[in-house]
Amino acid sequence: MKKFGEVDLIETLKTIVETNTEYYRSDFQYDAEILTNAARNGEGADAEERTFLWISRCCGTWCLRERNVFLRGSMEYEIWRFYGEQDSDGILAYGIEVSGMRSGIVAGRLYELDFKKHVRHVIDTAIPADRVRLLFERGGRLQSAGKFIPKQDLELGKLISYTVVPNNQDQLTALLCQEHRDRERLGNISAKCKRGRI
């Protein structure tokens, strides 16, 4: 695994897309939006909200919150596992830690991953998650993971966001903290793991 220090994430990933993704390059627009929103939230935001796993394939890209990839039962876990179980030749995978906006660019650190190895690691260590918390305009509710997530609720209005809820939050926190420490060993990363949080 190689570490690329503080870089312009959008331009760096765009270069990877241009050389590795032949079809559905427009997927990257969604990735850029996700990373830009994370950068705008700034350094004060929880590291879980600013840490992603990203892949470039022949036919498109995916940018997924690392937290959710490590939650068995989440859509992100299923996406990561699905592509890992396919012929993954030509898939380039990276860990991303968004630092924030720097002079108008989305800045952060990039870590090259061995995709097949990382997928096996995720399958072996993922934490079960049986519920999803849905937040609507006029309230929220919990539902079982794996069920369709509606964009609208007749009583509660438009869906604002959803969060996959781990069965054991402490176990997830420890796992993500260990992932951070493993990346930290590659270089001088400014954010430190404190009090069980990244």
Side-chain angles (χ1 to χ4, degrees):
M1 182 163 70
K2 295 179 188 173
K3 173 190 172 186
F4 300 88
E6 214 44 39
V7 297
D8 179 335
L9 290 171
I10 304 301
E11 284 304 310
T12 302
L13 296 175
K14 185 177 176 186
T15 300
I16 294 167
V17 169
E18 289 169 355
T19 59
N20 193 62
T21 302
E22 190 171 351
Y23 305 104
Y24 305 108
R25 287 183 177 177
S26 60
D27 286 357
F28 184 65
Q29 293 171 0
Y30 299 108
D31 306 342
E33 184 178 326
I34 289 167
L35 297 173
T36 300
N37 288 339
R40 286 188 179 132
N41 289 337
E43 295 174 10
D46 190 339
E48 286 183 10
E49 302 294 324
R50 297 181 288 115
T51 307
F52 302 89
L53 297 175
W54 183 80
I55 56 173
S56 164
R57 305 173 292 117
C58 173
C59 297
T61 65
W62 281 102
C63 185
L64 308 168
R65 282 183 60 201
E66 179 186 52
R67 170 197 187 276
N68 291 349
V69 170
F70 280 98
L71 289 174
R72 195 175 304 116
S74 72
M75 176 188 73
E76 293 87 343
Y77 171 85
E78 294 301 331
I79 290 168
W80 204 250
R81 187 181 60 82
F82 172 80
Y83 287 110
E85 291 175 351
Q86 307 304 309
D87 178 10
S88 61
D89 290 343
I91 293 181
L92 300 178
Y94 295 86
I96 300 171
E97 292 179 353
V98 177
S99 302
M101 296 298 287
R102 307 277 189 270
S103 302
I105 67 165
V106 177
R109 292 168 294 280
L110 200 58
Y111 304 87
E112 185 178 41
L113 302 174
D114 176 329
F115 183 57
K116 277 283 195 194
K117 185 177 176 182
H118 193 271
V119 169
R120 284 191 303 273
H121 170 64
V122 167
I123 290 169
D124 290 344
T125 60
I127 309 301
D130 296 331
R131 296 171 297 149
V132 176
R133 181 177 297 113
L134 305 175
L135 178 62
F136 295 92
E137 293 171 309
R138 296 183 295 276
R141 71 167 192 253
L142 284 172
Q143 75 175 35
S144 297
K147 285 181 65 178
F148 172 75
I149 296 176
K151 294 185 179 189
Q152 185 97 11
D153 181 272
L154 292 175
E155 295 175 14
L156 301 174
K158 182 180 170 185
L159 179 70
I160 296 171
S161 66
Y162 70 91
T163 304
V164 182
V165 180
N167 293 5
N168 186 326
Q169 179 61 50
D170 292 339
Q171 192 177 2
L172 176 64
T173 299
L175 172 61
L176 295 177
C177 197
Q178 184 61 49
E179 292 298 304
H180 174 76
R181 279 193 295 266
D182 290 347
R183 288 189 296 267
E184 189 176 67
R185 289 187 187 109
L186 296 175
N188 184 19
I189 297 174
S190 59
K192 299 294 180 190
C193 188
K194 297 177 184 174
R195 293 183 306 246
R197 299 296 288 177
I198 298 173

